[in-house]
Amino acid sequence: MSDAVLWQQDGHVLRLVMNRPETRNALGSVEELDHFVGLLRRAQADRGLRAVILTGAGQAFAAGGNVKDMREKHGLFGGSPREMRDTYRRTVQTLAQALRNLEVPVIAAVNGPAIGQGCGLACLADIRIAAASAKFAVSFLKLGLVPGDGGAYILPRLIGQARASQMFFTGEVIDAGTALDWGLVSKVVADDVLQDEAMAMARAISAQPPDVLRLTKRLLREGERAPYETVLELSAAFQALAQHTEDHGEAISAFFEKRPGDFAGR
């Protein structure tokens, strides 16, 4: 499974490339999902990483589940209801949690269709940049399924309950322009510059003080669910931590000296 998702590191930036173009990057097997989770755990443990780009090989970002396996009751779709539930928890949902809980910012470079679970993976990133050819759908109902990857929690928080309901209930495919209008993506670019745009953004992110960058992402995550007063308390605590880092001192020096900061994560 070492080639199901590729680990491509360039300094402080990591590209994770879903690499099954022949299946439009459908991550259908238990082994592939386990491999993906292992890479995310490796990324979580690597304090040298400051930004992650998630993208797909070929003409698609990710096409969701393997429909052939659904028909044949194989892999994720095999076994009794209890066994299937346990498999989903261990694979699809563990992957979603590992991606969502990654401490460094994640950019989804959506290079083509992001369908079903593929759309869910894109939604778990912090930032989404779409190629002009990108398309999005949560078409579980068309296959007689519910969203098993947590998309029912994530998507309404990105585009609102009404639009998320429209996508889930109809299974309609929206194009990149609609995704931009709805706030699902922050930017749409030509297909041939997508990866360069994602890398430029990742490098801009990785130029920030790395430990404080992780604290900032944590605050944003807590802000999605915690009461305002709790976020204020966390903000005060994190601010105190930030002000006692060497990188804070370097940032102040760089400000007065009118130069880029050189941050070491201390």
Side-chain angles (χ1 to χ4, degrees), residues 43-162:
Q44 181 76 316
D46 188 342
R47 299 295 298 185
L49 290 180
R50 302 185 185 182
V52 173
I53 297 170
L54 177 64
T55 194
Q59 302 302 308
F61 179 77
N66 190 314
V67 181
K68 182 179 178 182
D69 283 350
M70 294 180 197
R71 182 184 63 189
E72 297 175 358
K73 303 297 183 185
H74 176 72
L76 291 176
F77 309 100
S80 67
R82 180 190 61 77
E83 290 169 332
M84 290 180 69
R85 181 187 66 176
D86 289 344
T87 300
Y88 246 77
R89 286 172 168 171
R90 186 175 67 80
T91 57
V92 171
Q93 293 183 354
T94 297
L95 171 60
Q97 289 176 312
L99 182 57
R100 179 170 170 76
N101 294 334
L102 203 59
E103 290 184 349
V104 297
V106 179
I107 302 166
V110 185
N111 56 303
I115 309 299
Q117 183 190 0
C119 184
L121 289 174
C123 289
L124 288 165
D126 301 288
I127 302 167
R128 283 158 295 284
I129 304 175
S133 64
K135 294 177 172 57
F136 300 84
V138 281
S139 50
F140 298 96
L141 270 171
K142 287 185 176 292
L143 296 172
L145 297 173
V146 300
D149 59 355
Y153 177 91
I154 298 294
L155 190 59
R157 285 165 168 76
L158 295 177
I159 63 174
Q161 189 70 37

